[in-house]
Amino acid sequence: LLFSMLAPRIILLKEGTDTSQGVPQIVSNINACQAVADAVRTTLGPRGMDKLMLDGNNNATISNDGATILKLLDVVHPAAKSLVDISRSQDAEVGDGTTSVTLLAAEFLRQIKPYVEEGVHPAIIIRAFREGARIALDKMNSLACRIEKNSPTEQRHLLEMC
């Protein structure tokens, strides 16, 4: 027990591994995620543009689907990879919204970047996100229309309003 307290900690890393830590690393992670989001940003919406991508075998793919584009990107940055994983999870669970979820996550990161640079503690940022989510849910609940399942006349009225 005494030996383990006195022995130096030894960490083995692969050659070329970046060991930076702290705020500069967090900002670097945010920037990497922004780069991934920028790759799919212009494909969103009714005026979304197609992307032409070439793989290592010179096979061309033209698509405006965020999931397809993110699958074809060779992302090596760990934080940016997690953004791609978010998109894949969205595609697997829902089958749609991959670009939207990628851009939403990247936008959250873009909004907190100045606070990270100022040194705001991550726990405070997380608390602010949770409070924002609570406020948004309260607002949606106040705007929601309650529908009685057993009232055919009310259901008919709502359908006519659509």
Side-chain angles (χ1 to χ4, degrees):
L1 181 65
L2 183 59
F3 177 73
S4 65
M5 290 173 31
L6 297 176
R9 241 176 68 188
I10 299 173
I11 301 173
L12 299 176
L13 300 171
K14 285 195 261 180
E15 191 171 327
T17 301
D18 184 12
T19 60
S20 60
Q21 296 178 347
V23 173
Q25 183 60 44
I26 295 171
V27 171
S28 171
N29 291 345
I30 292 171
N31 290 337
C33 291
Q34 289 297 311
V36 170
D38 288 342
V40 294
R41 186 177 311 279
T42 58
T43 65
L44 188 66
R47 296 178 186 245
M49 296 185 286
D50 291 344
K51 299 277 187 196
L52 171 65
M53 293 155 292
L54 290 173
D55 64 9
N57 299 329
N58 284 334
N59 294 327
T61 304
I62 298 174
S63 178
N64 69 351
D65 177 44
T68 304
I69 293 167
L70 290 172
K71 282 178 193 169
L72 293 173
L73 286 177
D74 185 24
V75 179
V76 294
H77 193 281
K81 254 187 191 175
S82 66
L83 203 59
V84 173
D85 290 342
I86 290 170
S87 172
R88 287 187 180 148
S89 296
Q90 177 74 10
D91 194 31
E93 291 293 321
V94 181
D96 194 20
T98 54
T99 304
S100 298
V101 76
T102 302
L103 294 178
L104 184 62
E107 185 62 23
F108 282 145
L109 291 172
R110 188 176 72 78
Q111 291 297 320
I112 66 162
K113 185 177 174 183
Y115 298 107
V116 169
E117 290 172 335
E118 288 178 16
V120 175
H121 196 276
I124 295 172
I125 294 171
I126 291 167
R127 193 176 321 134
F129 274 131
R130 286 187 178 142
E131 179 66 14
R134 187 193 59 75
I135 291 169
L137 285 173
D138 288 346
K139 184 64 175 176
M140 287 194 308
N141 285 329
S142 73
L143 296 174
C145 297
R146 303 288 178 233
I147 301 172
E148 291 294 325
K149 291 181 182 178
N150 299 331
S151 174
T153 56
E154 185 179 353
Q155 289 179 352
R156 173 111 181 136
H157 176 69
L158 289 171
L159 284 173
E160 288 172 355
M161 287 179 15
C162 293

